Amino acid sequence: MNKKAVITGGTGFVGSNLSRELLKQGWEVFIISQKEFGYKNIEDIKNKLNIFEYDGNIQKLINFFKDSKADVVFHLASVFISEHKTDDINLLIDSNLKFGTHILEAMKESNTELIINTGTSWQHYNNENYNPVCLYAATKESFEKLMEYYIQGENLRAITLKLFDTYGETDTRPKLINLLNKFSREKTQLDMSPGDQVIDLVHVDDVVNAFIQAYEYLSENKSVKNEEFAVSSGREIKLKELISIYEKVTGNKVLVNWGGRTYRKREVMNLWKNFKKLPKWECTISIEEGLKRMPN
């Protein structure tokens, strides 16, 4: 019998790639979407997915879970805002806490036991046990605290994967690699910070494999109730170094104005290091190989 997965955030960058890989492996895939975000990232596989459009009605969500009878929930949906404004607070809370709690309640009501949750390395500013870089990171931590009740009180079992930076060929977000492609192609100047911050880039194929490995680990180890692991390439790269690697690999010159903008209020200058690695998972795609795959 085919395994069944519910994916939240299935129309996003990582979620769409996870959906594709699970379909390749013979899973039946259910995604929870919101119509306003569209289906651009999954047009090639949309007709192979079971799609539930969430409108905030928890009873409809519970019924969907009861019908789907999923083996696991991959919870990737969230709103990311690096520096929030006052008007962003409701969006962050509704998306990252309220919706997530609706998912947990639906799992409880449908006897769906396993969840692979998504956290962020930004929960660990200055490599501290908990020091959120921003309100987004604080909502990620808060959701883990909410999840603890359902683990202790309702017998859910969970793994949280804390992600560093992700990238890949199908990424349409205005993230760093895409910006480098854009500005090198247009031959326009890119204003950047002084460039001494350190980043950890993990290719989306490796990230997807981590989610699948996390499910297998949780499924096979019945004693695991709630654990967290980082999804790290194991390689720290200064922003200045990344630009050099990008130019060498792609042959594209980037006109960078170093110091053209200031660092963020809580720029991550040193990465989180005190983490556990997911058993049996390895990062297999180097930044050099990943950049070779990127469309120019």
Side-chain angles (χ1 to χ4, degrees), residues 191-206:
D191 288 338
M192 299 196 82
S193 67
D196 289 321
Q197 65 268 55
V198 180
I199 55 179
D200 183 344
L201 286 156
V202 186
H203 190 276
V204 69
D205 287 359
D206 280 325

Side-chain angles (χ1 to χ4, degrees), residues 72-75 113-119 143-144 147 151 156-162 210-221 224-231 278-279:
V72 62
V73 175
F74 294 102
H75 183 42
E113 294 182 357
L114 307 183
I115 181 170
I116 309 302
N117 179 47
T118 311
F143 180 71
E144 287 188 52
M147 193 167 64
I151 292 163
L156 267 61
R157 297 196 295 123
I159 284 177
T160 294
L161 296 181
K162 294 187 172 178
F211 275 94
I212 296 171
Q213 288 281 353
Y215 160 72
E216 291 174 355
Y217 178 76
L218 188 59
S219 178
E220 292 166 5
N221 295 277
V224 174
K225 291 185 70 176
N226 187 15
E227 290 196 33
E228 66 173 46
F229 303 99
V231 179
L278 179 65

Side-chain angles (χ1 to χ4, degrees), residues 3 42 68 119 128 135 148 151 169 173 191 217 236 241 262 283 288:
K3 293 189 182 76
I42 58 166
S68 63
E128 295 179 34
L135 186 60
E148 187 66 31
I151 292 163
E169 301 90 294
R173 302 169 298 173
D191 288 338
Y217 178 76
E236 297 185 355
E241 181 189 355
T262 59
C283 182
E288 288 84 358

Side-chain angles (χ1 to χ4, degrees), residues 18-276:
L18 176 59
S19 297
R20 255 180 225 99
E21 182 58 31
L22 291 177
L23 287 171
K24 281 183 193 172
Q25 294 186 16
W27 287 61
E28 187 173 359
V29 179
F30 300 77
I31 70 166
I32 300 173
S33 68
Q34 288 182 276
K35 191 180 290 186
E36 59 265 33
F37 293 119
Y39 297 98
K40 182 180 177 183
N41 287 335
I42 58 166
E43 287 296 344
D44 58 317
I45 56 170
K46 189 179 176 186
N47 63 349
K48 299 177 183 177
L49 300 169
N50 302 283
I51 298 174
F52 172 77
E53 292 187 339
Y54 171 77
D55 62 3
N57 186 312
I58 191 170
Q59 193 55 56
K60 288 181 185 176
L61 185 68
I62 289 168
N63 293 339
F64 161 74
F65 266 82
K66 286 180 176 178
D67 290 341
S68 63
K69 297 181 174 61
D71 296 285
V72 62
V73 175
F74 294 102
H75 183 42
L76 291 98
S78 69
V79 166
F80 169 74
I81 300 171
S82 60
E83 294 179 295
H84 80 276
K85 299 179 175 63
T86 303
D87 289 345
D88 296 325
I89 291 175
N90 285 348
L91 179 60
L92 284 163
I93 297 297
D94 286 348
S95 298
N96 300 353
L97 292 175
K98 181 182 173 182
F99 171 60
T101 308
H102 279 196
I103 293 293
L104 296 171
E105 186 69 13
M107 289 179 67
K108 180 197 81 172
E109 291 295 318
S110 62
N111 298 314
T112 307
E113 294 182 357
L114 307 183
I115 181 170
I116 309 302
N117 179 47
T118 311
T120 172
S121 64
W122 279 19
Q123 291 166 243
H124 304 280
Y125 188 58
N126 286 336
N127 198 34
E128 295 179 34
N129 186 46
Y130 175 56
N131 184 346
V133 170
C134 56
L135 186 60
Y136 157 76
T139 63
K140 286 293 191 180
E141 184 82 11
S142 299
F143 180 71
E144 287 188 52
K145 302 305 182 190
L146 282 169
M147 193 167 64
E148 187 66 31
Y149 160 71
Y150 287 88
I151 292 163
Q152 298 295 342
E154 303 294 349
N155 297 317
L156 267 61
R157 297 196 295 123
I159 284 177
T160 294
L161 296 181
K162 294 187 172 178
L163 306 185
F164 287 83
D165 285 306
T166 58
Y167 73 104
E169 301 90 294
T170 59
D171 194 359
T172 58
R173 302 169 298 173
K175 301 283 278 188
L176 180 58
I177 302 298
N178 283 339
L179 285 175
L180 296 182
N181 283 335
K182 178 179 184 292
F183 279 82
S184 64
R185 186 169 58 247
E186 294 174 356
K187 295 182 170 49
T188 50
Q189 183 174 275
L190 176 60
D191 288 338
M192 299 196 82
S193 67
D196 289 321
Q197 65 268 55
V198 180
I199 55 179
D200 183 344
L201 286 156
V202 186
H203 190 276
V204 69
D205 287 359
D206 280 325
V207 176
V208 163
N209 288 335
F211 275 94
I212 296 171
Q213 288 281 353
Y215 160 72
E216 291 174 355
Y217 178 76
L218 188 59
S219 178
E220 292 166 5
N221 295 277
K222 307 299 182 186
S223 62
V224 174
K225 291 185 70 176
N226 187 15
E227 290 196 33
E228 66 173 46
F229 303 99
V231 179
S232 166
S233 69
R235 179 179 176 184
E236 297 185 355
I237 302 175
K238 277 195 174 185
L239 184 57
K240 283 181 176 177
E241 181 189 355
L242 176 65
I243 304 300
S244 297
I245 294 170
Y246 173 87
E247 291 182 335
K248 184 176 179 181
V249 169
T250 66
N252 298 330
K253 179 70 178 172
V254 187
L255 303 173
V256 179
N257 177 26
W258 295 110
R261 71 166 185 83
T262 59
Y263 289 120
R264 290 192 185 104
K265 181 180 177 182
R266 286 166 69 79
E267 193 78 53
V268 178
M269 304 303 293
N270 298 291
L271 295 178
W272 177 42
K273 297 179 179 66
N274 301 330
F275 56 75
K276 289 193 298 182

